[in-house]
Amino acid sequence: MRQGGKVNCPSTKFLRGFKAGLAELRGVVEVWFRNYFRYPAWIIADVVTTPAWLILFIVPILMFLPREQWQDPGVLNTMFWAMVLWDVVSSGIWSFGMAIRREQQTGTLEALFVTNASRAILFSGGLCVRTVTMFMGILYMFAFFTAIFKVELMLFNPLGVLASLVTGLVAALGFGLIYGSLVLRFKNIGPLNNVVQFILLGICGVFVPVTSLPSPLRLISYTLPFTYVADLVRHYALGAESLLPLMLEWATLLTQTAAMLILGLSMLKQVEHQMKYTGGLGSY
Amino acid sequence: MASSVLVENVSKVFHTREGGLLFRGKKRVVEALKNVSFEVREGEVFGLLGPNGAGKTTTIKILSTLLLPDSGDAWVNGYHVVKEANKVRESIGVSLYSDRGFYWKLSGRENLMYFARLYHLERSYAKSRIDYLLKLLDLESDADRLVEEYSTGMKSKLNIARALLQDPPVLFLDEPTIGLDPTAARKVREVIMELRGEGKTVLLTTHNMYEAELLCDRVAIISKGRVIAIGTPGELKSKVSEHKVIEVELAGFDEGLLEMVKQGRGVIGAAARIRDPVSGLAELRIVYDGDFALKDVLGMLLSSRGRLISVKSLEPTLEDVFVTMTGERLEAPS
């Protein structure tokens, strides 16, 4: 048997490493956007359901607040930024799972796995579509809060808010990879992710500061990156006090984000390996 | 001649569940491959010939790094399929039998371009390569139509075009002509012969003996997860060339009759294909030696409850090798 035979294919000659990743990313983005814009019903559903979801979410929260707080700019601003954060984190959490589920249903998983493309990039396509709906959601929220509540939105440090939200999105992608691995393994587990997302963001103080949570829950909150993302967004947008000194809070957030990404990537790799043993890689 | 593919004692077992709800399905262990070994030489068209469920696709998936073997080793283009999976993937093109596997809201060309990016082909090279492949497979005029409008044959050809994208030295084609109309099947066979001319190594699976005879330099006959014979079509046929073959069409067939025929004097092998389960219309293929055997067999058939419709004397083919060795027929009921 000839060992290490010569590979006469262009893939070995072109675009290694970073360039290869960029080529893959470009392909994934093109495919997802083409798919999205060729399903008019998909776009219409997003345009219609995003504000409906917003109303269904905000109205019950308002019902629990004293009526005089409905006009309180501080409360409304907190809610606005909480909703933005919800939207951003949710985009990250759902992206990979949504993409893997779609590939399972399309029947393209095996064709993808026979390439050497990065698995994380292959399944990042879901984020493209989620980004569209995320911006749509933020626009709707902006219109909703400014037109209906006539609130002047506060934004003390736009760069700080942007940095916090982007980091939040990356941390959510880590969770997204874990969810994606579970989709690859167990297929249809969307409803479970919905519940986990509510619990996760609930205990991370997205709507209520973690300091007001019972102490056992607070301990869990401190181990989750979204606690610091929510806190930093409130700090940079509304000028609220941060939980920890800023440098320490950023360091904690970045460490946890990196840990989530590493955990997510290794879980995806492990599940792929396991599915190659069981033979369920291409099944849906 | 060097080996392009080497498979040594590969075994694979699947643990599946049959029916049931939630976790209650009955557990079933399926031995898909049992110590399979074979070698495909460089530049050779090698066929895995066997009926459905024989283990052909499992073999291709292991060689394509889509499945991990439970035991044994395999190398493709000199690389180990488990330890050097990335290198293997760079060396191969794979076309798995499936009606899906493409993005239906993209055109054929867009689908190929996407996979070209995943194979890291330079854009200008990818464009010309895609144009070439679309032309090669007669898909040029339909290249910009959405795949959802493609026929089964067009999707199969697109599948082969995708396998050829990175111009790999080794190709795995799983049932490349299944479900195709004769024109499309002929085109695919022409392409495979052209690939052989270019010096590519092709491993294809088929349950069509004519295809195996026509395309393959060598064939491995596989049944129930075991390779039962390997050789050139001529070598394999020589195993039965001394024998005689008849095909009998019979109404009111039952399994008991087949068993009786198999036990008959001078009968080397016999297998049936049910064509109509309601009327029991079946085709029996019988490999035998000596005129006395023919007389006995016909006697059995005439005295059975079945109604003899026709008897044809045939030249031995690869199917008769299969019938002789397994007591089964190759092709699914038509």
Side-chain angles (χ1 to χ4, degrees):
Chain A
M1 182 71 194
R2 183 163 60 91
Q3 291 298 316
K6 186 175 166 237
V7 180
N8 180 27
C9 54
S11 69
T12 56
K13 297 173 189 161
F14 294 111
L15 305 169
R16 285 250 174 225
F18 185 68
K19 275 176 88 181
L22 278 183
E24 291 161 14
L25 190 62
R26 187 171 167 186
V28 168
V29 170
E30 276 177 9
V31 164
W32 273 80
F33 276 124
R34 280 205 175 109
N35 253 319
Y36 184 62
F37 289 111
R38 283 177 189 167
Y39 278 106
W42 194 356
I43 304 166
I44 292 166
D46 280 341
V47 171
V48 173
T49 56
T50 307
W53 164 244
L54 193 66
I55 292 164
L56 286 171
F57 204 74
I58 290 179
V59 170
I61 295 174
L62 285 175
M63 284 166 69
F64 285 98
L65 287 175
R67 203 174 170 81
E68 61 274 14
Q69 288 196 4
W70 290 19
Q71 301 298 322
D72 183 336
V75 171
L76 292 172
N77 264 285
T78 304
M79 276 187 63
F80 172 78
W81 287 110
M83 291 300 294
V84 170
L85 185 59
W86 177 280
D87 217 11
V88 169
V89 169
S90 144
S91 300
I93 287 181
W94 283 93
S95 56
F96 289 104
M98 184 175 131
I100 291 174
R101 189 76 194 124
R102 199 164 170 78
E103 303 290 0
Q104 282 170 342
Q105 287 163 335
T106 320
T108 37
L109 266 184
E110 287 186 325
L112 295 175
F113 278 119
V114 101
T115 71
N116 275 332
S118 149
R119 284 17 181 176
I121 293 177
L122 275 182
F123 304 125
S124 62
L127 188 63
C128 304
V129 176
R130 290 296 303 196
T131 307
V132 173
T133 52
M134 180 179 83
F135 281 114
M136 206 187 286
I138 291 172
L139 277 176
Y140 272 123
M141 272 182 277
F142 182 78
F144 194 79
F145 276 87
T146 51
I148 297 178
F149 293 106
K150 314 276 186 220
V151 65
E152 198 175 316
L153 292 172
M154 294 155 81
L155 180 57
F156 286 128
N157 183 345
L159 274 180
V161 170
L162 186 67
S164 312
L165 288 176
V166 169
T167 315
L169 180 65
V170 177
L173 287 175
F175 272 96
L177 282 165
I178 296 171
Y179 167 57
S181 314
L182 295 175
V183 171
L184 190 59
R185 171 71 184 82
F186 299 106
K187 322 303 174 197
N188 198 4
I189 56 157
L192 178 70
N193 196 40
N194 241 330
V195 174
V196 170
Q197 184 185 347
F198 268 88
I199 296 171
L200 202 66
L201 291 180
I203 59 173
C204 284
V206 169
F207 289 100
V208 191
V210 281
T211 45
S212 61
L213 294 173
S215 54
L217 274 184
R218 219 181 307 156
L219 280 177
I220 302 172
S221 310
Y222 290 146
T223 63
L224 296 166
F226 305 122
T227 303
Y228 305 103
V229 177
D231 190 59
L232 286 167
V233 167
R234 272 196 293 267
H235 171 76
Y236 289 121
L238 312 174
E241 277 286 308
S242 60
L243 274 174
L244 304 171
L246 268 187
M247 289 302 283
L248 181 61
E249 192 153 331
W250 269 108
T252 312
L253 173 59
L254 292 174
T255 309
Q256 288 184 343
T257 302
M260 291 312 307
L261 280 176
I262 292 166
L263 183 67
L265 285 169
S266 59
M267 201 164 154
L268 188 63
K269 199 173 170 185
Q270 211 172 353
V271 170
E272 181 186 338
H273 189 78
Q274 189 194 1
M275 299 308 283
K276 284 181 177 177
Y277 261 118
T278 58
L281 197 62
S283 64
Y284 71 106
Chain B
M1 196 183 280
S3 303
S4 264
V5 178
L6 183 62
V7 179
E8 283 180 354
N9 300 315
V10 166
S11 296
K12 183 75 196 168
V13 172
F14 292 116
H15 299 268
T16 60
R17 284 183 187 274
E18 283 178 342
L21 298 171
L22 293 174
F23 304 105
R24 296 174 67 94
K26 196 176 151 194
K27 281 184 185 171
R28 192 171 157 229
V29 176
V30 180
E31 278 190 88
L33 296 179
K34 299 168 196 166
N35 286 316
V36 166
S37 298
F38 63 88
E39 178 199 31
V40 183
R41 295 165 198 153
E42 209 172 284
E44 181 176 56
V45 177
F46 187 89
L48 282 176
L49 180 67
N52 295 336
K56 306 184 298 287
T57 303
T58 302
T59 308
I60 287 233
K61 284 189 176 178
I62 286 174
L63 295 173
S64 313
T65 76
L66 287 170
L67 270 178
L68 292 167
D70 292 335
S71 62
D73 290 291
W75 292 264
V76 175
N77 203 35
Y79 300 110
H80 194 274
V81 292
V82 179
K83 295 171 194 157
E84 298 168 289
N86 280 0
K87 291 282 184 193
V88 170
R89 285 192 284 264
E90 281 179 359
S91 314
I92 59 171
V94 187
S95 161
L96 291 173
Y97 168 64
S98 169
D99 195 34
R100 306 190 304 144
F102 286 102
Y103 300 92
W104 285 31
K105 283 287 177 191
L106 300 188
S107 68
R109 192 190 301 278
E110 287 168 344
N111 266 284
L112 292 181
M113 185 48 92
Y114 176 46
F115 282 94
R117 287 195 193 288
L118 300 184
Y119 283 119
H120 312 144
L121 304 190
E122 198 188 39
R123 192 173 167 77
S124 58
Y125 172 78
K127 277 179 92 171
S128 58
R129 180 81 186 149
I130 290 168
D131 286 342
Y132 164 76
L133 292 172
L134 290 168
K135 194 173 174 186
L136 179 74
L137 286 145
D138 284 347
L139 284 171
E140 242 178 340
S141 55
D142 301 300
D144 297 310
R145 281 171 64 194
L146 297 186
V147 167
E148 66 185 1
E149 294 168 9
Y150 275 27
S151 65
T152 306
M154 287 157 76
K155 276 184 260 183
S156 279
K157 289 196 281 184
L158 191 63
N159 213 345
I160 293 173
R162 179 170 60 189
L164 291 168
L165 264 177
Q166 60 170 343
D167 198 12
V170 184
L171 272 159
F172 299 135
L173 307 177
D174 186 21
E175 303 279 7
T177 56
I178 195 168
L180 301 191
D181 62 58
T183 316
R186 195 181 316 122
K187 181 70 210 174
V188 169
R189 288 180 193 129
E190 277 170 21
V191 170
I192 294 170
M193 288 197 265
E194 220 170 304
L195 292 170
R196 175 171 41 196
E198 288 173 19
K200 305 271 185 215
T201 305
V202 181
L203 170 60
L204 61 87
T205 72
T206 181
H207 60 252
N208 181 330
M209 56 174 171
Y210 297 110
E211 190 165 280
E213 282 194 55
L214 182 73
L215 295 174
C216 300
D217 298 308
R218 287 191 311 134
V219 171
I221 295 182
I222 185 166
S223 170
K224 294 175 182 162
R226 285 185 199 281
V227 172
I228 53 174
I230 299 182
T232 63
E235 283 166 358
L236 292 174
K237 278 196 293 183
S238 72
K239 290 179 194 279
V240 290
S241 60
E242 302 296 309
H243 307 313
K244 292 175 180 166
V245 180
I246 53 165
E247 192 168 77
V248 176
E249 201 178 5
L250 184 79
F253 165 81
D254 68 72
E255 287 292 332
L257 176 63
L258 179 65
E259 287 310 309
M260 212 161 71
V261 169
K262 280 181 179 175
Q263 304 302 321
R265 248 189 336 154
V267 173
I268 312 290
R273 178 194 302 153
I274 311 290
R275 291 181 57 188
D276 178 13
V278 180
S279 66
L281 183 66
E283 273 175 16
L284 268 70
R285 201 166 177 109
I286 303 160
V287 184
Y288 66 96
D289 265 341
D291 291 339
F292 61 91
L294 178 63
K295 192 177 161 199
D296 282 4
V297 165
L298 289 177
M300 275 183 234
L301 295 173
L302 285 168
S303 59
S304 74
R305 283 182 302 170
R307 185 166 57 86
L308 195 60
I309 298 171
S310 67
V311 180
K312 278 186 282 188
S313 174
L314 302 168
E315 283 296 308
T317 65
L318 280 180
E319 174 150 30
D320 301 307
V321 181
F322 194 79
V323 168
T324 307
M325 296 181 121
T326 67
E328 288 174 24
R329 296 202 63 168
L330 267 175
E331 291 177 79
S334 51

